[in-house]
Amino acid sequence: MEKQYRSEYKLLLDANEMNFDPSNLTIDWSKIKAFNRYPDPDSLALKEVICQELNRKESRYDSDNRYRPVSPEQLIIGTGSDEILKLILEGLTEKGSVAIAPDPSFSEYEKLTQLVQGKLVKVPCNNFKVDVEALIDAQKRNDARLIFIANPNNPTGQLISKKEIEALLINTDAWIVVDEAYAEFSQETALGLLEKYEKLLITRTLSKAYGLAALRIGYLIASERVTASLSPYKMTYNITGVSELIALQVLNDTDYSDQYIADVKALRRKAFDLLKEVNGLTLYPSEANFILVEVNTKENYSLLEKALEKNAIKVRYFKNSSNLNQDEPLHRCIRLTLTTFDEFEVLLSVIKEVMM
Ligand SMILES: Cc1ncc(COP(=O)(O)O)c(C=O)c1O
């Protein structure tokens, strides 16, 4: 039986988190004492540090020389990128509007669209690859206002190219929201397209590559005009002062994040090689900090689920083995978060026990 609390698991490989806790690193807790004062509603200091970090890192992936430094006016900070995605829907769509997302993709898109009383139309992927032509077609047929693209996609890990994003920008009459929650683990970003396309909105988070999921900080990067028009939809004091102060201190020293990203990329290569040797698994290419794996039979899937539970390893399932549905694209799939080689080895040994 599934454990009641997440804390009961020995390995948490289900939510694509870091397994390193940055709060051990640099925080001067004595600075966090002004509980009686409201935080800065614009989180300006945090925006400045995030811009520095983006401009330091992202220009490295600017193969076509289109990256322009991002300024604080182009940012909105939210309580996680979840809040930012909802704010985008609130500001740019109306009751009854259609939004579009590939299927499979991040499950929150549907929930958030429903929360604002819109409708999410899902466009099937092709062997888990996002079908850009089909998205363009669906946008036109449904007169959709907005398209969500998680890049890399969750849960598949696959990437769509900057060229394909540009095709969506050119050939649709909709806002294009590129959710880059995992972009730090890939070598691709749509940031270089912001200068040319005002209908492009990019979301990012400190929950994944910076290991700050508990703080709940995500952000939007868009043109100044778009952020100005969306700002009124934000609650004035959405970010707690405590979260902001901790994030500021941690982001002043991001070597740990650079190291973690490099380690995860190295582990990803190694994990692919090692998992490839296991019979009965189909692996999907990933540019994120997780791998999507398909198990060959319902029986093996069920055995694996039981063995992982018994060993207190939590991974992401998409359907309980008791109600697997052949028509669901993710049936018999599990998503494995990549953290450290030590944790991966423990996971691999349980997988091998079942599959070998
Ligand atoms: C694709 C994608 N977008 C957004 C999020 C949400 O991130 P946050 O913690 O910033 O709300 C996640 C979290 O798993 C995600 O996978």
PDB file of all heavy atoms in Angstrom, residues 266-278 283 291 344 348 352:
ATOM      1  N   ALA A 266      25.484  14.700 -16.686  1.00  0.00           N
ATOM      2  CA  ALA A 266      26.393  13.542 -16.773  1.00  0.00           C
ATOM      3  C   ALA A 266      25.649  12.273 -16.358  1.00  0.00           C
ATOM      4  O   ALA A 266      25.777  11.215 -16.990  1.00  0.00           O
ATOM      5  CB  ALA A 266      27.603  13.768 -15.881  1.00  0.00           C
ATOM      6  N   LEU A 267      24.844  12.382 -15.307  1.00  0.00           N
ATOM      7  CA  LEU A 267      24.072  11.228 -14.841  1.00  0.00           C
ATOM      8  C   LEU A 267      23.065  10.780 -15.908  1.00  0.00           C
ATOM      9  O   LEU A 267      22.849   9.582 -16.103  1.00  0.00           O
ATOM     10  CB  LEU A 267      23.343  11.584 -13.523  1.00  0.00           C
ATOM     11  CG  LEU A 267      22.351  10.559 -12.995  1.00  0.00           C
ATOM     12  CD1 LEU A 267      23.023   9.217 -12.707  1.00  0.00           C
ATOM     13  CD2 LEU A 267      21.678  11.069 -11.718  1.00  0.00           C
ATOM     14  N   ARG A 268      22.496  11.744 -16.604  1.00  0.00           N
ATOM     15  CA  ARG A 268      21.495  11.416 -17.634  1.00  0.00           C
ATOM     16  C   ARG A 268      22.109  10.523 -18.705  1.00  0.00           C
ATOM     17  O   ARG A 268      21.520   9.532 -19.122  1.00  0.00           O
ATOM     18  CB  ARG A 268      20.986  12.734 -18.232  1.00  0.00           C
ATOM     19  CG  ARG A 268      19.764  12.604 -19.105  1.00  0.00           C
ATOM     20  CD  ARG A 268      19.176  13.966 -19.375  1.00  0.00           C
ATOM     21  NE  ARG A 268      20.068  14.851 -20.106  1.00  0.00           N
ATOM     22  CZ  ARG A 268      19.968  16.178 -20.127  1.00  0.00           C
ATOM     23  NH1 ARG A 268      19.019  16.789 -19.454  1.00  0.00           N
ATOM     24  NH2 ARG A 268      20.814  16.910 -20.824  1.00  0.00           N
ATOM     25  N   ARG A 269      23.319  10.869 -19.141  1.00  0.00           N
ATOM     26  CA  ARG A 269      24.001  10.049 -20.159  1.00  0.00           C
ATOM     27  C   ARG A 269      24.246   8.645 -19.628  1.00  0.00           C
ATOM     28  O   ARG A 269      23.976   7.643 -20.278  1.00  0.00           O
ATOM     29  CB  ARG A 269      25.344  10.686 -20.554  1.00  0.00           C
ATOM     30  CG  ARG A 269      25.189  11.890 -21.454  1.00  0.00           C
ATOM     31  CD  ARG A 269      26.526  12.334 -22.014  1.00  0.00           C
ATOM     32  NE  ARG A 269      27.416  12.899 -20.998  1.00  0.00           N
ATOM     33  CZ  ARG A 269      27.410  14.169 -20.608  1.00  0.00           C
ATOM     34  NH1 ARG A 269      26.558  15.011 -21.155  1.00  0.00           N
ATOM     35  NH2 ARG A 269      28.239  14.615 -19.694  1.00  0.00           N
ATOM     36  N   LYS A 270      24.724   8.588 -18.389  1.00  0.00           N
ATOM     37  CA  LYS A 270      25.065   7.312 -17.785  1.00  0.00           C
ATOM     38  C   LYS A 270      23.795   6.481 -17.553  1.00  0.00           C
ATOM     39  O   LYS A 270      23.760   5.274 -17.817  1.00  0.00           O
ATOM     40  CB  LYS A 270      25.743   7.595 -16.438  1.00  0.00           C
ATOM     41  CG  LYS A 270      26.558   6.491 -15.939  1.00  0.00           C
ATOM     42  CD  LYS A 270      27.735   6.987 -15.136  1.00  0.00           C
ATOM     43  CE  LYS A 270      28.678   5.820 -15.016  1.00  0.00           C
ATOM     44  NZ  LYS A 270      29.973   6.151 -14.552  1.00  0.00           N
ATOM     45  N   ALA A 271      22.749   7.139 -17.066  1.00  0.00           N
ATOM     46  CA  ALA A 271      21.495   6.434 -16.766  1.00  0.00           C
ATOM     47  C   ALA A 271      20.913   5.815 -18.039  1.00  0.00           C
ATOM     48  O   ALA A 271      20.414   4.689 -18.024  1.00  0.00           O
ATOM     49  CB  ALA A 271      20.508   7.412 -16.134  1.00  0.00           C
ATOM     50  N   PHE A 272      20.997   6.562 -19.151  1.00  0.00           N
ATOM     51  CA  PHE A 272      20.509   6.002 -20.423  1.00  0.00           C
ATOM     52  C   PHE A 272      21.273   4.735 -20.775  1.00  0.00           C
ATOM     53  O   PHE A 272      20.675   3.722 -21.138  1.00  0.00           O
ATOM     54  CB  PHE A 272      20.657   7.033 -21.548  1.00  0.00           C
ATOM     55  CG  PHE A 272      19.389   7.763 -21.804  1.00  0.00           C
ATOM     56  CD1 PHE A 272      19.144   8.969 -21.188  1.00  0.00           C
ATOM     57  CD2 PHE A 272      18.416   7.213 -22.620  1.00  0.00           C
ATOM     58  CE1 PHE A 272      17.944   9.637 -21.390  1.00  0.00           C
ATOM     59  CE2 PHE A 272      17.215   7.873 -22.827  1.00  0.00           C
ATOM     60  CZ  PHE A 272      16.983   9.089 -22.210  1.00  0.00           C
ATOM     61  N   ASP A 273      22.603   4.806 -20.658  1.00  0.00           N
ATOM     62  CA  ASP A 273      23.418   3.639 -21.011  1.00  0.00           C
ATOM     63  C   ASP A 273      23.057   2.452 -20.132  1.00  0.00           C
ATOM     64  O   ASP A 273      22.933   1.317 -20.606  1.00  0.00           O
ATOM     65  CB  ASP A 273      24.907   3.968 -20.846  1.00  0.00           C
ATOM     66  CG  ASP A 273      25.362   4.926 -21.934  1.00  0.00           C
ATOM     67  OD1 ASP A 273      24.626   5.060 -22.936  1.00  0.00           O
ATOM     68  OD2 ASP A 273      26.419   5.555 -21.770  1.00  0.00           O
ATOM     69  N   LEU A 274      22.887   2.692 -18.845  1.00  0.00           N
ATOM     70  CA  LEU A 274      22.627   1.579 -17.924  1.00  0.00           C
ATOM     71  C   LEU A 274      21.203   1.034 -18.071  1.00  0.00           C
ATOM     72  O   LEU A 274      20.984  -0.177 -18.028  1.00  0.00           O
ATOM     73  CB  LEU A 274      22.882   2.025 -16.477  1.00  0.00           C
ATOM     74  CG  LEU A 274      24.364   2.322 -16.180  1.00  0.00           C
ATOM     75  CD1 LEU A 274      24.532   3.030 -14.844  1.00  0.00           C
ATOM     76  CD2 LEU A 274      25.165   1.021 -16.189  1.00  0.00           C
ATOM     77  N   LEU A 275      20.241   1.915 -18.283  1.00  0.00           N
ATOM     78  CA  LEU A 275      18.855   1.452 -18.434  1.00  0.00           C
ATOM     79  C   LEU A 275      18.645   0.718 -19.765  1.00  0.00           C
ATOM     80  O   LEU A 275      17.800  -0.168 -19.865  1.00  0.00           O
ATOM     81  CB  LEU A 275      17.878   2.627 -18.318  1.00  0.00           C
ATOM     82  CG  LEU A 275      17.662   3.181 -16.904  1.00  0.00           C
ATOM     83  CD1 LEU A 275      16.943   4.528 -16.951  1.00  0.00           C
ATOM     84  CD2 LEU A 275      16.865   2.202 -16.030  1.00  0.00           C
ATOM     85  N   LYS A 276      19.444   1.113 -20.761  1.00  0.00           N
ATOM     86  CA  LYS A 276      19.339   0.465 -22.084  1.00  0.00           C
ATOM     87  C   LYS A 276      19.645  -1.028 -21.990  1.00  0.00           C
ATOM     88  O   LYS A 276      19.157  -1.827 -22.779  1.00  0.00           O
ATOM     89  CB  LYS A 276      20.324   1.123 -23.057  1.00  0.00           C
ATOM     90  CG  LYS A 276      19.635   1.965 -24.107  1.00  0.00           C
ATOM     91  CD  LYS A 276      20.616   2.316 -25.204  1.00  0.00           C
ATOM     92  CE  LYS A 276      20.944   3.802 -25.144  1.00  0.00           C
ATOM     93  NZ  LYS A 276      22.165   4.204 -25.803  1.00  0.00           N
ATOM     94  N   GLU A 277      20.482  -1.373 -21.024  1.00  0.00           N
ATOM     95  CA  GLU A 277      20.868  -2.786 -20.872  1.00  0.00           C
ATOM     96  C   GLU A 277      19.778  -3.630 -20.216  1.00  0.00           C
ATOM     97  O   GLU A 277      19.883  -4.847 -20.153  1.00  0.00           O
ATOM     98  CB  GLU A 277      22.146  -2.882 -20.024  1.00  0.00           C
ATOM     99  CG  GLU A 277      23.358  -2.355 -20.753  1.00  0.00           C
ATOM    100  CD  GLU A 277      24.543  -2.177 -19.822  1.00  0.00           C
ATOM    101  OE1 GLU A 277      24.483  -2.643 -18.663  1.00  0.00           O
ATOM    102  OE2 GLU A 277      25.517  -1.553 -20.262  1.00  0.00           O
ATOM    103  N   VAL A 278      18.755  -2.968 -19.684  1.00  0.00           N
ATOM    104  CA  VAL A 278      17.688  -3.717 -19.002  1.00  0.00           C
ATOM    105  C   VAL A 278      16.628  -4.119 -20.028  1.00  0.00           C
ATOM    106  O   VAL A 278      16.087  -3.253 -20.729  1.00  0.00           O
ATOM    107  CB  VAL A 278      17.042  -2.842 -17.885  1.00  0.00           C
ATOM    108  CG1 VAL A 278      15.963  -3.625 -17.154  1.00  0.00           C
ATOM    109  CG2 VAL A 278      18.100  -2.333 -16.920  1.00  0.00           C
ATOM    110  N   LEU A 283      13.084   3.555 -23.538  1.00  0.00           N
ATOM    111  CA  LEU A 283      13.492   4.838 -22.961  1.00  0.00           C
ATOM    112  C   LEU A 283      13.181   5.955 -23.953  1.00  0.00           C
ATOM    113  O   LEU A 283      13.390   5.789 -25.148  1.00  0.00           O
ATOM    114  CB  LEU A 283      14.995   4.855 -22.690  1.00  0.00           C
ATOM    115  CG  LEU A 283      15.585   3.668 -21.946  1.00  0.00           C
ATOM    116  CD1 LEU A 283      17.088   3.865 -21.783  1.00  0.00           C
ATOM    117  CD2 LEU A 283      14.921   3.539 -20.580  1.00  0.00           C
ATOM    118  N   ILE A 291      13.779  10.940 -16.663  1.00  0.00           N
ATOM    119  CA  ILE A 291      13.658  10.097 -17.862  1.00  0.00           C
ATOM    120  C   ILE A 291      12.300   9.402 -17.823  1.00  0.00           C
ATOM    121  O   ILE A 291      11.896   8.877 -16.769  1.00  0.00           O
ATOM    122  CB  ILE A 291      14.758   9.003 -17.903  1.00  0.00           C
ATOM    123  CG1 ILE A 291      16.145   9.633 -17.900  1.00  0.00           C
ATOM    124  CG2 ILE A 291      14.604   8.121 -19.135  1.00  0.00           C
ATOM    125  CD1 ILE A 291      17.284   8.617 -18.004  1.00  0.00           C
ATOM    126  N   PHE A 344      20.538   6.884  -8.099  1.00  0.00           N
ATOM    127  CA  PHE A 344      20.174   6.163  -9.311  1.00  0.00           C
ATOM    128  C   PHE A 344      20.549   4.687  -9.196  1.00  0.00           C
ATOM    129  O   PHE A 344      19.797   3.808  -9.644  1.00  0.00           O
ATOM    130  CB  PHE A 344      20.832   6.804 -10.536  1.00  0.00           C
ATOM    131  CG  PHE A 344      20.484   6.076 -11.801  1.00  0.00           C
ATOM    132  CD1 PHE A 344      19.231   6.208 -12.367  1.00  0.00           C
ATOM    133  CD2 PHE A 344      21.395   5.218 -12.389  1.00  0.00           C
ATOM    134  CE1 PHE A 344      18.882   5.505 -13.511  1.00  0.00           C
ATOM    135  CE2 PHE A 344      21.056   4.512 -13.529  1.00  0.00           C
ATOM    136  CZ  PHE A 344      19.805   4.653 -14.093  1.00  0.00           C
ATOM    137  N   LEU A 348      18.171   1.618  -9.833  1.00  0.00           N
ATOM    138  CA  LEU A 348      18.495   0.665 -10.900  1.00  0.00           C
ATOM    139  C   LEU A 348      18.506  -0.773 -10.377  1.00  0.00           C
ATOM    140  O   LEU A 348      18.029  -1.694 -11.048  1.00  0.00           O
ATOM    141  CB  LEU A 348      19.850   1.018 -11.519  1.00  0.00           C
ATOM    142  CG  LEU A 348      20.290   0.180 -12.704  1.00  0.00           C
ATOM    143  CD1 LEU A 348      19.366   0.382 -13.898  1.00  0.00           C
ATOM    144  CD2 LEU A 348      21.732   0.514 -13.118  1.00  0.00           C
ATOM    145  N   LYS A 352      16.306  -3.696 -11.932  1.00  0.00           N
ATOM    146  CA  LYS A 352      16.933  -4.912 -12.487  1.00  0.00           C
ATOM    147  C   LYS A 352      16.362  -6.168 -11.850  1.00  0.00           C
ATOM    148  O   LYS A 352      16.149  -7.167 -12.526  1.00  0.00           O
ATOM    149  CB  LYS A 352      18.447  -4.854 -12.283  1.00  0.00           C
ATOM    150  CG  LYS A 352      19.158  -4.039 -13.339  1.00  0.00           C
ATOM    151  CD  LYS A 352      20.630  -4.055 -13.054  1.00  0.00           C
ATOM    152  CE  LYS A 352      21.461  -3.611 -14.223  1.00  0.00           C
ATOM    153  NZ  LYS A 352      22.863  -3.461 -13.842  1.00  0.00           N
TER     154      LYS A 352
END
